[in-house]
């Protein structure tokens, strides 16, 4: 009779283990998986578990070698708090509002991202915006619509001298993850405004 109960118990435990490995979501980082190495055999320096993902984004702190950190220990803030790690270094407001205080969910529980020069997290309406990844004209339009395109067209003119809309669109069409230049695309959590910056390798 005992064997009749062992299978469902083992099956439930197996399913629970698999459920615990579902990649966590990060409210401020919509493209978070790209900040992690998948299928890693390394153990997390915080929880000492091998969970298949190890953070490979920027890291700041007093250590000689970057510690290996899993996404779950970033999600609950334990990696930053136990290991003294910071994952985001610079915030730039895209409007006149000032970011007075960073929410813990951002400052302790959000993975950063690498950029070709220096990664800057765009903020709007007084708080960090959601990072949606690298891209060009198509990605900007998908995420931010015409308002997003208008923002990045203005950047193309102000920072790179593209004076007409046609040249601005051509410039942005030649941006993206597989190009020499890219837009880093963000969207405000409060008002939905799209913005960010453009960088070249």
């Amino acid at each position: 009779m005992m064997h009749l109960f062992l299978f469902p118990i083992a099956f439930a435990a197996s399913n629970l283990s698999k459920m615990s490995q579902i990649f966590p979501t990060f409210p401020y980082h919509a493209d978070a998986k790209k900040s992690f190495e998948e299928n890693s055999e390394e153990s997390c320096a915080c929880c000492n578990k091998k969970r298949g993902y190890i953070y490979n984004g920027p890291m700041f702190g007093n250590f000689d070698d970057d510690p290996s950190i899993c996404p779950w220990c970033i999600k609950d803030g334990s990696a930053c708090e136990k290991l003294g790690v910071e994952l985001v270094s610079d915030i730039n407001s895209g409007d006149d509002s000032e970011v007075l205080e960073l929410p813990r969910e951002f400052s302790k529980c959000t993975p950063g991202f690498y950029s070709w020069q220096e990664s800057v997290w765009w903020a709007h309406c007084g708080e960090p915006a959601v990072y949606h990844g690298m891209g060009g004209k198509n990605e900007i339009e998908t995420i931010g619509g015409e308002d997003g395109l208008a923002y990045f067209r203005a950047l193309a003119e102000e920072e790179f001298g593209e004076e007409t809309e046609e040249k601005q669109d051509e410039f942005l069409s030649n941006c993206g993850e597989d190009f020499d230049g890219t837009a880093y695309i963000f969207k405000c959590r409060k008002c939905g405004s799209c913005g960010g910056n453009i960088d070249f390798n």
Side-chain angles (χ1 to χ4, degrees):
M1 291 292 293
M2 289 194 60
H3 291 290
L4 295 175
F5 293 98
L6 286 176
F7 175 75
I9 290 172
F11 180 76
S14 174
N15 277 342
L16 184 61
S17 175
K18 289 179 181 178
M19 287 174 62
S20 69
Q21 293 297 310
I22 295 173
F23 191 87
T25 58
F26 296 92
Y28 290 94
H29 198 325
D31 201 28
K33 268 196 177 181
K34 289 189 177 178
S35 291
F36 293 86
E37 175 189 343
E38 295 190 50
N39 302 314
S40 173
E41 291 297 322
E42 291 186 64
S43 296
C44 174
C46 185
C47 67
N48 296 316
K49 295 178 181 179
K50 293 181 180 181
R51 309 190 72 172
Y53 291 91
I54 287 294
Y55 179 66
N56 63 6
M59 205 176 297
F60 311 93
N62 294 319
F63 34 76
D64 294 328
D65 298 313
D66 290 350
S68 298
I69 303 172
C70 75
W72 290 269
C73 288
I74 293 177
K75 173 71 175 180
D76 66 14
S78 57
C80 288
E81 290 167 349
K82 290 181 181 179
L83 303 177
V85 171
E86 291 186 10
L87 306 179
V88 178
S89 65
D90 197 8
I91 301 223
N92 180 45
S93 182
D95 58 4
D96 294 332
S97 64
E98 186 178 355
V99 181
L100 297 176
E101 185 177 355
L102 294 175
R104 180 182 180 277
E105 190 173 31
F106 175 78
S107 63
K108 302 292 185 184
C109 309
T110 298
F113 65 93
Y114 273 123
S115 64
W116 288 328
Q117 304 302 325
E118 182 180 355
S119 58
V120 177
W121 206 286
W122 193 73
H124 201 269
C125 292
E127 72 166 60
V130 180
Y131 177 57
H132 282 266
M134 305 165 73
K137 182 176 180 293
N138 290 338
E139 291 79 10
I140 293 167
E141 189 169 19
T142 297
I143 295 163
E146 278 298 320
D147 289 343
L149 278 176
Y151 178 93
F152 281 98
R153 282 170 180 151
L155 277 187
E157 180 176 9
E158 292 166 11
E159 298 185 6
F160 302 99
E162 305 294 349
E163 296 181 353
T164 67
E165 186 173 303
E166 181 180 359
K167 288 185 176 180
Q168 293 158 10
D169 284 351
E170 182 180 358
F171 174 86
L172 294 173
S173 293
N174 287 296
C175 287
E177 196 167 356
D178 298 323
F179 292 86
D180 290 333
T182 188
Y184 295 90
I185 308 167
F186 294 80
K187 196 168 186 179
C188 179
R189 280 164 52 99
K190 291 183 177 178
C191 74
S193 293
C194 177
N197 63 297
I198 298 172
D199 198 4
F200 279 83
N201 64 11

